């Protein structure tokens, strides 16, 4: 028989095991009765909303020091709102926005772990709760919340990326702040992969998840042993740490690898994948100019939380950045059209990697000689001298001799800019997927993508418009190589087309369609968050565009990056060799990519230029107005007023006439680029300068496409 002391000891031990907190349902009742949201409670206790949810549904229990704080709060509420009493306030009473915007979330190792209840009855993972909203003024709060929607994939509860500051705070999307204990780069990589909850799901069923991105502030870089600045005399894009730098040695010693680009502004650190599990982290060093000011205006100077918001919106709407916006634009093409997919081997029954129809495949492809650049091995080794495609964006200035007295007396020159003209051209664009085949004397077929040698010099058009066949708008002087869309437009204008020879592709497809759709949605949604929506009439649209950048500088930076992604991605399709040591005829790194496709770039630009000319010709028919100059996607018209509403064509009902330039926020529609006096424009034209380049005023210069 046990002694009385032993029984008392056992009872005391049982009493000590008594729950220190009320049951989960009572915790939820007390909070709701007090009129406090889970998000606000999470912010108060410096944890995540999901953790509070877990406490209230019994999936996990708080640990010190939050345990004592939570217990004290619940005791206070219990005294104030006993179970039998009526609630003192509605459970859904609106709450003022908490003064603390960001919620610090312990990482997996530090947070309250979910108890292991066995494989057989393990519940399905819950969708992560919405974290606290990013910083935003009341006038743009709803737009900001929409722009920073958190990831819903339970594998990546904290979104695609984080900005790490020198104090170990890692700012993720949605206002979450993670505690990062890493003091070396290998520790940072391990923490990111094991504990951070960062990453993004694949964009295509046959693709791969996006690797997590860690952006380092200058203070974080120094803390990790990196130099604050990366100095050198080479081009910025080729700067990197020397192989004997201590951090590079640390990475190697920890059995991690760097890509061939080494440890530069955008460093990728990886180990070979184990099965389906990728082990790779992308780093971006802000003080090494990882974020180009032209693509990401003002972002590098923002606070870490705001940088996380900008990059987070871009990552969720476009892709997690992996380099410059040009690199990201190219990566997006591959992410949306993966080159391979799993297919079953009929002989063995095993699943193997096979070609994914509609993609560019895994192997690089030599271009046809006229599609290549003069330094390309295909050209140098073959001795090709038959000319090259010259499908570039417009750079045209009208001759002052063609200006009428009526035009010269108009008071203003008004510039119109087409929204993401290259993106609009990529819609439903059929391009070649296979290698080019050579044909002599072919019959022209506007449905076959390729390069055609033809003579269009006999076609004479109105000198008040640029020729649609050349970038400088001059009339062709003899046979030249043209992309399919350029020759098809000559046919559309009523002229016979008789190619001399051609390089054509038998396998075709709308490769860029998903790329177009994703970037179009990103562009339109971001503009809408800035107050520029599709339902605005033209006057309201112009008014909204006047101040949309001031409404939210962070979203303005996202919009700039989206536009740069379009132009840079198209430009990367024909990336030229870099560096002063390159010799003509040598290969260069870009040629090893299946996405080195100058013919696809030519198709996009050809279609964009043809689209521009079609609008110019329709405007002349509908209004009698002719442009003063065109530069890429910007056109300048003489105008009776400072607003394009003074010369754009409208029907009697007030609706815009189709076929000409139309205002609006979607790709291919126009917006006001700038206004200057007509005398100013004529003066530039007389000097041989392009008014479209300077119509914004100041030192503004248009991006000409790449």
């Amino acid at each position: 028989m046990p002694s009385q002391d032993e029984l008392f000891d056992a009872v005391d031990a049982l009493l000590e095991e008594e729950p220190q907190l009320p049951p989960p349902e009572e915790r939820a009742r007390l909070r709701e009765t007090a009129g406090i949201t889970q998000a606000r409670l999470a912010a108060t206790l410096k944890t995540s909303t999901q953790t509070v949810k877990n406490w209230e549904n019994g999936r996990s229990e708080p640990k010190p020091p939050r345990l004592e704080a939570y217990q004290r709060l619940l005791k206070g509420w219990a005294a104030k709102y006993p179970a039998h009493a009526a609630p003192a306030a509605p459970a859904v009473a609106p709450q003022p926005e908490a003064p603390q915007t960001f919620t610090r979330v312990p990482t997996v190792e530090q947070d309250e772990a979910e108890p292991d209840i066995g494989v057989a009855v393990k519940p399905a993972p819950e969708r992560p709760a919405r974290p606290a909203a990013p910083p935003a003024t009341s006038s743009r709060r709803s737009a900001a919340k929409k722009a920073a929607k958190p990831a819903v994939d339970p594998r990546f509860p904290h979104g695609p990326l984080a900005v790490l500051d020198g104090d170990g705070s890692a700012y993720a999307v949605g206002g979450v702040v993670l505690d990062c204990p890493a003091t070396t780069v290998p520790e940072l990589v391990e923490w990111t992969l094991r504990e951070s909850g960062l990453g993004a799901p694949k964009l295509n069923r046959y693709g791969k998840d996006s690797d997590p991105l860690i952006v380092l502030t200058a203070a974080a870089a120094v803390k990790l042993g990196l130099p604050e600045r990366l100095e050198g005399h080479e081009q910025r894009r080729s700067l990197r740490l020397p192989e004997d730098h201590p951090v590079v040695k640390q990475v190697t010693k920890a059995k991690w690898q760097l890509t061939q680009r080494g440890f530069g502004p955008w460093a990728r650190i990886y180990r070979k994948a184990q099965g389906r599990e990728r082990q790779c982290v992308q780093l971006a060093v802000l003080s090494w100019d990882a974020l180009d000011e032209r693509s990401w205006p003002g972002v590098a100077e923002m606070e870490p939380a705001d940088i996380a918001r900008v990059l987070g919106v871009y990552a969720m709407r476009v892709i997690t950045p992996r380099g410059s916006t040009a690199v990201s634009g190219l990566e997006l093409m591959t992410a949306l059209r993966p080159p391979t997919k799993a297919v079953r081997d009929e002989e063995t029954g095993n699943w193997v990697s096979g070609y994914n129809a509609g993609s560019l495949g895994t192997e690089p492809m030599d271009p046809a000689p006229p599609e290549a650049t003069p330094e390309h091995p295909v050209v140098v080794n073959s001795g090709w001298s038959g000319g090259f495609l010259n499908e570039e964006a417009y750079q045209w200035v009208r001759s002052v001799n063609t200006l009428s007295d009526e035009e010269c007396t108009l008071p203003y020159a008004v510039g119109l800019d087409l929204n993401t003209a290259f993106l609009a051209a990529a819609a439903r664009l059929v391009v070649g997927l296979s290698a080019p085949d050579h044909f002599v004397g072919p019959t022209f077929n506007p449905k076959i993508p390729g390069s055609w040698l033809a003579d269009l010099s006999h076609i004479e058009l109105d000198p008040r418009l640029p020729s649609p066949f050349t970038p400088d708008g001059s009339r062709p002087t003899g046979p030249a190589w043209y992309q399919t869309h350029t020759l098809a437009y000559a046919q559309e204008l009523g002229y016979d087309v008789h190619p001399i020879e051609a390089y054509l592709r038998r396998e075709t497809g709308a490769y860029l369609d998903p790329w177009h759709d994703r970037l179009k949605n990103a562009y339109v949604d971001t503009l809408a968050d800035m107050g520029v929506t599709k339902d605005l009439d033209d006057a309201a649209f112009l008014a909204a565009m006047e101040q949309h950048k001031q409404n939210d500088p962070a979203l303005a930076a996202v919009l700039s990056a989206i536009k740069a992604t379009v132009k840079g991605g198209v430009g990367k399709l024909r990336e030229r060799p870099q560096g002063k040591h390159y010799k003509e005829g040598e290969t260069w790194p870009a040629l090893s990519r299946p996405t080195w496709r100058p013919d696809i770039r030519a198709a996009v630009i050809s279609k964009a230029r043809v689209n521009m000319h079609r609008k110019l010709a329709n405007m002349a028919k509908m209004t009698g107005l002719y442009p003063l100059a065109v530069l890429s996607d910007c056109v300048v018209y003489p105008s009776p007023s400072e607003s394009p509403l003074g010369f754009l064509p409208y029907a009697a009902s007030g609706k815009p006439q189709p076929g000409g330039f139309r205002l609006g926020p979607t790709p291919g529609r126009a917006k006001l680029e700038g206004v200057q006096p007509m005398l100013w424009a004529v003066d530039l034209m007389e000097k041989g300068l392009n008014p479209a380049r300077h119509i914004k005023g100041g030192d503004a210069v248009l991006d000409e496409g790449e």
Side-chain angles (χ1 to χ4, degrees), residues 18 112 135 178 250 275 289 297 336 405 466 502 506 559 582 620 682:
E18 188 177 21
E112 296 77 13
L178 308 173
Q250 285 177 355
D289 299 325
L336 293 168
D405 292 340
R506 299 179 187 274
L559 193 69
Y582 174 77
V682 173

Side-chain angles (χ1 to χ4, degrees), residues 360 365 368 371 389 391 428-439 442-453 481-488 501-512 597-604 606-607:
L360 297 183
M365 185 181 299
E371 297 167 348
L389 278 176
E391 299 288 10
R428 298 180 296 280
L429 176 67
V430 177
V431 300
L433 300 177
S434 56
D437 292 323
H438 184 231
F439 298 86
T443 300
F444 178 66
N445 186 334
K447 294 184 178 180
I448 300 178
S451 304
W452 311 74
L453 180 64
W481 288 94
Y482 299 101
Q483 203 277 335
T484 298
H485 282 87
T486 305
L487 281 194
E501 60 178 306
Y503 286 89
L504 308 177
R505 288 170 166 79
R506 299 179 187 274
E507 294 180 28
T508 65
Y511 172 72
L512 293 175
R597 291 294 302 272
D599 56 302
I600 296 180
R601 173 188 177 275
V604 172
S606 167
K607 186 178 174 185

Side-chain angles (χ1 to χ4, degrees), residues 102 134-135 140 143-144 146-149 160-163 171-175 213 215 266 286 291-293 295-321 325 328 522 526 529-530 549 552-562 565:
F102 285 86
R140 65 176 189 265
K146 179 181 178 185
K149 287 191 297 185
L161 56 88
V163 180
Y171 295 83
V173 300
L213 167 64
V215 181
W266 290 89
L286 290 174
L291 298 180
D292 191 310
E293 176 68 17
S295 302
W296 302 95
V299 176
E301 305 305 318
M302 292 180 180
E303 292 297 317
D306 295 322
I307 298 173
R309 179 180 173 227
V310 171
L311 296 180
V313 173
Y314 178 89
M316 288 184 279
R317 290 189 172 171
V318 182
I319 192 172
T320 304
T325 48
S328 297
T526 304
D529 289 341
M530 301 168 75
K549 291 184 179 179
D552 194 327
L555 287 181
V558 175
L559 193 69
S560 172
I562 293 170
T565 301

Side-chain angles (χ1 to χ4, degrees), residues 369-560:
E371 297 167 348
T373 55
E375 68 271 16
H376 195 285
V378 163
V379 174
V380 175
N381 295 339
S382 67
W384 173 263
S385 59
F388 299 94
L389 278 176
N390 189 25
E391 299 288 10
E392 302 294 340
Y394 267 134
Q395 295 191 53
W396 172 79
V397 180
R398 182 174 158 192
S399 170
V400 292
N401 297 329
T402 64
L403 293 174
S404 67
D405 292 340
E406 183 182 357
E407 286 175 314
C408 290
T409 57
L410 290 172
Y412 298 105
V414 174
L416 290 177
D417 179 67
L418 296 183
N419 302 321
T420 56
F422 288 173
L423 185 61
R428 298 180 296 280
L429 176 67
V430 177
V431 300
L433 300 177
S434 56
D437 292 323
H438 184 231
F439 298 86
V440 177
T443 300
F444 178 66
N445 186 334
K447 294 184 178 180
I448 300 178
S451 304
W452 311 74
L453 180 64
D455 189 350
L456 303 180
S457 60
H458 62 285
I459 300 178
E460 185 172 359
L461 299 174
D462 194 316
R464 293 171 293 181
L465 292 175
S467 167
F469 311 124
T470 59
D472 65 1
S474 62
R475 181 174 173 176
T477 57
W481 288 94
Y482 299 101
Q483 203 277 335
T484 298
H485 282 87
T486 305
L487 281 194
Y489 189 56
Q491 259 191 355
E492 181 182 322
L493 294 175
Y495 297 94
D496 290 333
V497 175
H498 301 287
I500 302 166
E501 60 178 306
Y503 286 89
L504 308 177
R505 288 170 166 79
R506 299 179 187 274
E507 294 180 28
T508 65
Y511 172 72
L512 293 175
D513 259 9
W515 185 79
H516 162 271
D517 293 348
R518 186 164 176 86
L519 285 168
K520 175 185 176 181
N521 290 337
Y523 182 83
V524 171
D525 290 348
T526 304
L527 263 181
D529 289 341
M530 301 168 75
V532 186
T533 55
K534 296 179 184 179
D535 58 348
L536 298 176
D537 61 31
D538 285 359
F541 168 74
L542 291 173
M545 288 298 294
E546 279 186 12
Q547 47 85 46
H548 75 290
K549 291 184 179 179
Q550 289 72 40
N551 285 349
D552 194 327
L555 287 181
V558 175
L559 193 69
S560 172

